[in-house]
């Protein structure tokens, strides 16, 4: 389980004891201005996500859909599915919510000191990307490449290094853009268990320090509407029910589709946003539309 001293409740994320993390006083990266949209996508520009990879989080503020990213964090994704199917997340509160940062939940004790009865997880701060990985590059920084794996924004080492590595792969890690879902932990890297957080704004200081397991594809406005506090004063907003989309009855299962990041529409959107923002362009400035019916 995650254990926290009371004095650490003021920290920006659960770190068990000790001094505040070096990024605690940093200002969050602001949202980029929203440029005008390009022409509407066609049917070929959409994809239907695997229903095993969609968490449907119903809250008292509305519904949030998170697309899981097993290519980036397979063990954490498996844990989220398992705990969801056990019902552990039903009724859990958002006990620590920081306005320009994140909303944290998933603690059976609803205060940041608990976890499930399962073992803690080994960190998956980084992953290995190969030539077969469905990576869509949006920026090449020579020594690193920025892009997307599905809906998850990532950065990796240059693909030119692949022939030089023993496994033919390079290291990659998630970018903590708005909507990215990360696993909370204690002071030890391998201490994540059940608690997680949803990013309200971009916060790059978390990269390679916390495991990202997915991204909100619908309901970011709900995440940003959750009551704030460190800890949140009662009454706290709650996840009334959390389900894996594949487990929902057909009669109540939402139909979900997401823009295909490997499609023509997304390529045009990247070019438009880059032209609009110039030197301020980042992957976090790119929105990935979804439809939920």
């Amino acid at each position: 389980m995650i254990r926290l001293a009371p004095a650490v409740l003021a920290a920006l994320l659960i770190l068990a004891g000790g001094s505040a993390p070096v990024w605690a006083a940093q200002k969050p990266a602001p949202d980029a201005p929203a440029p005008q949209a390009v022409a509407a996508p066609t049917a070929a520009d959409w994809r239907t996500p695997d229903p095993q990879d969609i968490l449907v989080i119903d809250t008292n503020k509305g519904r949030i859909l998170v697309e899981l990213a097993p290519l980036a964090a397979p063990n954490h994704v498996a844990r989220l599915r398992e705990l969801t199917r056990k019902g552990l997340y039903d009724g859990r509160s958002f006990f620590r919510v920081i306005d320009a940062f994140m909303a944290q939940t998933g603690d059976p004790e609803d205060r940041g000191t608990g976890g499930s009865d399962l073992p803690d997880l080994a960190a998956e701060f980084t992953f290995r990307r190969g030539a077969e990985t469905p990576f869509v590059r949006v920026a090449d920084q020579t020594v690193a490449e920025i892009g997307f794996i599905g809906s998850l924004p990532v950065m990796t080492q240059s693909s030119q290094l692949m022939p030089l590595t023993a496994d033919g792969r390079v290291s990659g890690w998630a970018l903590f853009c708005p909507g990215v879902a990360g696993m909370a932990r204690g002071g030890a890297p391998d201490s994540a268990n059940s608690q997680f957080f949803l990013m309200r704004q971009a916060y790059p200081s978390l990269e390679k320090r916390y495991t990202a397991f997915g991204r909100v594809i619908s309901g970011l406005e709900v995440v940003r509407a959750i009551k704030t506090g460190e800890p949140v004063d009662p009454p706290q907003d709650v996840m009334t029910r959390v389900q894996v989309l594949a487990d929902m009855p057909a009669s109540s299962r939402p139909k979900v589709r997401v823009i295909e990041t490997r499609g023509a529409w997304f390529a045009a959107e990247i070019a438009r946003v880059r032209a609009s923002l110039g030197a301020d362009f980042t992957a976090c400035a790119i929105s990935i539309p979804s439809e939920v019916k």
Side-chain angles (χ1 to χ4, degrees):
M1 290 188 180
I2 298 171
R3 293 285 187 262
L4 292 182
V8 187
L9 290 176
L12 293 183
L13 211 54
I14 38 180
L15 291 172
S19 58
V22 296
W23 43 264
Q26 295 182 2
K27 294 182 179 179
D31 277 354
Q36 294 298 313
V38 296
T42 66
D45 294 311
W46 296 93
R47 64 178 172 88
T48 300
D50 186 339
Q52 295 283 352
D53 289 338
I54 299 293
L55 286 187
V56 181
I57 303 175
D58 287 310
T59 79
N60 62 302
K61 289 291 181 67
R63 173 168 281 183
I64 302 165
L65 268 63
V66 174
E67 183 173 24
L68 303 174
L71 289 177
N75 295 327
H76 286 71
V77 166
R79 172 64 57 86
L80 266 291
R81 290 196 196 106
E82 182 177 4
L83 294 182
T84 293
R85 287 170 169 150
K86 286 184 174 183
L88 182 139
Y89 292 128
D90 296 346
R92 298 280 63 79
S93 74
F94 290 93
F95 57 88
R96 181 177 297 113
V97 183
I98 303 171
D99 185 26
F101 188 18
M102 57 86 206
Q104 188 172 331
T105 184
D107 176 11
E109 298 177 1
D110 289 331
R111 57 184 181 180
T113 55
S116 74
D117 58 2
L118 298 174
D120 290 345
L121 290 162
E124 293 178 303
F125 301 159
T126 64
F127 59 90
R128 300 293 287 173
R129 172 195 157 209
E132 78 287 354
T133 305
F135 172 78
V136 177
R137 188 175 66 189
V138 302
D140 187 348
Q141 298 181 332
T142 305
V143 296
E145 298 174 5
I146 297 171
F148 289 84
I149 296 177
S151 59
L152 185 69
V154 301
M155 177 181 287
T156 78
Q157 296 173 309
S158 172
S159 57
Q160 296 184 31
L161 296 176
M162 289 179 183
L164 306 178
T165 63
D167 61 355
R169 296 169 177 265
V170 294
S171 292
W173 53 93
L175 304 176
F176 277 83
C177 298
V180 167
M183 210 70 175
R185 62 174 178 84
D190 300 333
S191 58
N193 188 287
S194 68
Q195 297 184 38
F196 64 90
F197 54 91
L198 304 174
M199 301 303 296
R200 291 164 67 107
Q201 303 289 355
Y203 216 90
S205 293
L206 301 186
E207 292 161 15
K208 294 189 285 185
R209 299 184 63 179
Y210 290 83
T211 297
F213 61 83
R215 189 182 190 182
V216 173
I217 57 170
S218 177
L220 182 58
E221 72 284 357
V222 176
V223 176
R224 288 172 168 166
I226 294 169
K227 183 179 178 182
T228 60
E230 299 181 67
V232 180
D233 291 332
Q236 298 175 344
D237 291 326
V238 299
M239 299 189 293
T240 54
R241 189 175 186 187
V242 182
Q243 303 171 83
V244 177
L245 182 64
D247 299 343
M248 298 177 68
S251 59
S252 60
R253 183 186 301 180
K255 295 180 174 61
V256 183
R257 66 177 186 171
V258 185
I259 280 293
E260 173 58 74
T261 53
R262 294 173 291 181
W265 185 92
F266 193 69
E269 176 69 357
I270 293 168
R272 181 189 65 82
V273 176
R274 180 182 288 110
S276 175
L277 298 181
D280 293 328
F281 172 81
T282 71
C284 291
I286 303 173
S287 297
I288 300 182
S290 67
E291 286 186 356
V292 181
K293 297 180 180 180

